[in-house]
Amino acid sequence: MSIFKKFLNFKGIIGITLVLCVVLIAIFAPLIIPPEFATKMDMRARLSPPNMAHWMGTDQLGRDLFYRVMLGARTSINIATSAVLMSLVIGLPLGLVSGYFGGRTDNVLMRLVDTLLSFPALLLALTISAVLGPNLQNTIIAIGIAFTPYLARLIRGEALRVAQMPYVEAARSSGATNSRLIIGHVLPNIMPVVIVQSTISLAFAILAEAGLSFLGLGTQPPEASWGLMIQASRDYLDRAPWTALVPGTAVALTVLGLNMFGDVLRDVLDPRSQS
């Protein structure tokens, strides 16, 4: 079964389509939609249901939800991508060193990781965001640090497994240095797992950003954020449910797409699943 055929199934097509749509919106929406469109208020049209003038309705300030959801995609993707990259920058070398060398190095590093793992990821992100202060940069830092121990643990386990493989032992016996073994043998063989986990982590990072923004500890107004939009809709759910349904649906579809895409990537990149 070829790699491309593994993508051509229901899960793969839906996942790739949803992810591609969100990424394209995040890239091109700010170029097509002027930022002032998302902040333009029209109190005469406040809480308007979906209509020809406002495809997804308006919020409590008369702002067009279609424009705000489109620009909110950029905020969510930027924060999620930056946070996952940050967790990789910290967690990848941490896990590699811990798994490859083992022994006392592994014990010391993993005890530090276990300390962070003792806190639920969202609670840890909330605490860090509350200490640093709510803004976009601190939201990235908070989510990135909260996800680091999970990636470090996963990478450590894979590095530990690969470091014991015969080809690594053979390279070590031939005089290869530790740095060459890590970079040339261990790292390339754990990258499929890292890529899959990073993709799935993007989905959780988007949920975390929406949760922090909903609680007032993430993205701050007037930035367009799905979490902020849901938070602002709480008092209008009975008479304007679309104010919560529109951003909530955007979050749900994005997370669904990333999870489905991650599952397909796992099937493609896992050597044991290839024929």
Side-chain angles (χ1 to χ4, degrees):
M1 191 181 203
S2 69
I3 290 177
F4 293 105
K5 284 184 178 180
K6 291 188 177 182
F7 280 106
L8 297 179
N9 54 48
F10 177 78
K11 185 185 292 185
I13 293 173
I14 296 297
I16 292 172
T17 301
L18 289 174
V19 170
L20 189 60
C21 286
V22 174
V23 170
L24 290 177
I25 289 171
I27 294 173
F28 294 108
L31 304 177
I32 300 172
I33 303 171
E36 59 269 19
F37 278 30
T39 57
K40 182 180 179 181
M41 294 182 289
D42 183 3
M43 298 307 291
R44 293 173 300 178
R46 66 188 300 267
L47 299 179
S48 296
N51 53 61
M52 293 301 295
H54 304 285
W55 295 352
M56 296 182 180
T58 61
D59 62 10
Q60 74 280 3
L61 297 177
R63 296 173 296 187
D64 192 285
L65 289 177
F66 175 73
Y67 295 139
R68 290 187 65 76
V69 165
M70 295 277 280
L71 293 178
R74 184 181 182 89
T75 302
S76 294
I77 293 296
N78 279 344
I79 291 177
T81 303
S82 300
V84 171
L85 285 175
M86 176 184 171
S87 65
L88 277 174
V89 168
I90 302 172
L92 184 58
L94 193 66
L96 275 173
V97 170
S98 180
Y100 177 80
F101 289 103
R104 183 174 298 178
T105 301
D106 183 34
N107 287 332
V108 172
L109 293 178
M110 285 302 105
R111 294 303 75 76
L112 295 175
V113 169
D114 289 342
T115 301
L116 293 177
L117 281 173
S118 63
F119 299 94
L122 185 56
L123 178 60
L124 182 59
L126 280 169
T127 303
I128 296 172
S129 185
V131 171
L132 297 179
N135 59 48
L136 191 145
Q137 290 76 18
N138 291 341
T139 301
I140 294 173
I141 294 172
I143 297 175
I145 293 176
F147 281 11
T148 295
Y150 296 93
L151 282 171
R153 262 292 181 186
L154 176 69
I155 293 167
R156 179 256 182 189
E158 288 298 308
L160 186 63
R161 178 183 64 83
V162 173
Q164 298 172 353
M165 291 293 182
Y167 56 84
V168 176
E169 293 292 341
R172 185 182 291 114
S173 300
S174 66
T177 62
N178 288 328
S179 59
R180 183 176 178 181
L181 287 171
I182 292 174
I183 297 174
H185 294 278
V186 178
L187 181 59
N189 285 284
I190 69 170
M191 282 310 296
V193 175
V194 174
I195 292 172
V196 171
Q197 186 59 40
S198 298
T199 303
I200 296 174
S201 293
L202 284 172
F204 289 101
I206 288 174
L207 282 176
E209 186 277 327
L212 289 176
S213 297
F214 180 85
L215 296 172
L217 293 172
T219 308
Q220 297 297 298
E223 290 284 342
S225 166
W226 294 338
L228 278 176
M229 295 170 67
I230 297 173
Q231 190 266 353
S233 70
R234 290 181 303 171
D235 297 331
Y236 309 99
L237 291 176
D238 56 340
R239 51 191 174 125
W242 56 87
T243 56
L245 286 175
V246 170
T249 301
V251 173
L253 290 177
T254 303
V255 172
L256 175 65
L258 285 168
N259 279 323
M260 295 178 77
F261 183 59
D263 287 342
V264 175
L265 271 182
R266 182 185 295 113
D267 295 337
V268 170
L269 297 177
D270 185 358
R272 292 168 295 184
S273 68
Q274 299 182 21
S275 56

